[in-house]
Amino acid sequence: GNSVTQMEGPVTLSEEAFLTINCTYTATGYPSLFWYVQYPGEGLQLLLKATKADDKGSNKGFEATYRKETTSFHLEKGSVQVSDSAVYFCALNQAGTALIFGKGTTLSVSS
Amino acid sequence: DGGITQSPKYLFRKEGQNVTLSCEQNLNHDAMYWYRQDPGQGLRLIYYSQIVNDFQKGDIAEGYSVSREKKESFPLTVTSAQKNPTAFYLCASRSSGGSSYEQYFGPGTRLTVT
């Protein structure tokens, strides 16, 4: 079945460091891919998305490219801020049913 | 403002009691979802509904029930049959139009059963 695997955290970085959170998926066909962010005690917010191979999703300085050849959708940001501290979830969706999530990666950024 | 509301934010119940969590959306979305979140386990699907008066079980439906009498509302009942109900519950919705299938989430309800 479909699944999402993302790197385990926590990821601890200093402000202005480069961020990569790895995400790989298993799916038949061409799923849509998403990154969601969750701040403490809140629901999930859609961060970015990509719907087909080689698409690049971007938002608030974060980027991720849909790589079908490596079945990956790694999240990157060139310079993280303390306010980026949160839990990040990679997810996929196929055929319009529910999202399938990775287990989440906690990012902690210190000043 | 359009969005999804969940109430209450915190809920406390005694073991053996049923409890209903509210989820309302004014986004005119057809599909609605309930997820459960436990530490370190990501989100797991409880139930979903693609249209009014229809819903489907997700991966962990045992001990839960739902109804979908109105497009805007998708309440979740946690019954006494749910063996480990303490968790963070998230409701989401999705438009049936388009092809990207992104879902929009409410702020969640944290349920504690003692």
Side-chain angles (χ1 to χ4, degrees), chain A residues 76-94:
Chain A
E76 297 181 335
K77 186 175 185 183
S79 176
V80 293
Q81 305 300 311
V82 172
S83 57
D84 293 327
S85 298
V87 181
Y88 292 82
F89 291 93
C90 184
L92 71 80
N93 184 275
Q94 196 164 31

Side-chain angles (χ1 to χ4, degrees), chain B residues 49-102:
Chain B
S49 169
Q50 308 251 48
I51 57 172
V52 173
N53 292 322
D54 185 56
F55 47 83
Q56 309 295 329
K57 292 182 178 180
D59 300 321
I60 55 165
E62 185 175 350
Y64 299 98
S65 66
V66 294
S67 63
R68 186 85 187 277
E69 297 176 1
K70 299 186 300 181
K71 187 175 185 178
E72 305 79 27
S73 179
F74 190 41
L76 173 74
T77 297
V78 184
T79 76
S80 56
Q82 167 51 232
K83 296 191 187 319
N84 185 18
T86 294
F88 190 49
Y89 291 87
L90 288 157
C91 179
S93 70
R94 178 183 67 80
S95 172
S96 58
S99 60
S100 59
Y101 306 124
E102 68 258 34

Side-chain angles (χ1 to χ4, degrees), chain A residues 26-68:
Chain A
T26 301
T28 55
Y30 301 91
S32 295
L33 301 174
F34 307 89
W35 277 101
Y36 281 84
V37 59
Q38 184 179 35
Y39 298 100
E42 298 183 7
L44 274 66
Q45 299 175 25
L46 179 64
L47 182 58
L48 52 83
K49 68 180 182 183
T51 59
K52 61 183 187 295
D54 300 323
D55 264 2
K56 176 185 282 189
S58 61
N59 186 27
K60 300 180 181 179
F62 291 91
E63 294 183 339
T65 301
Y66 189 139
R67 300 285 189 201
K68 184 158 176 61

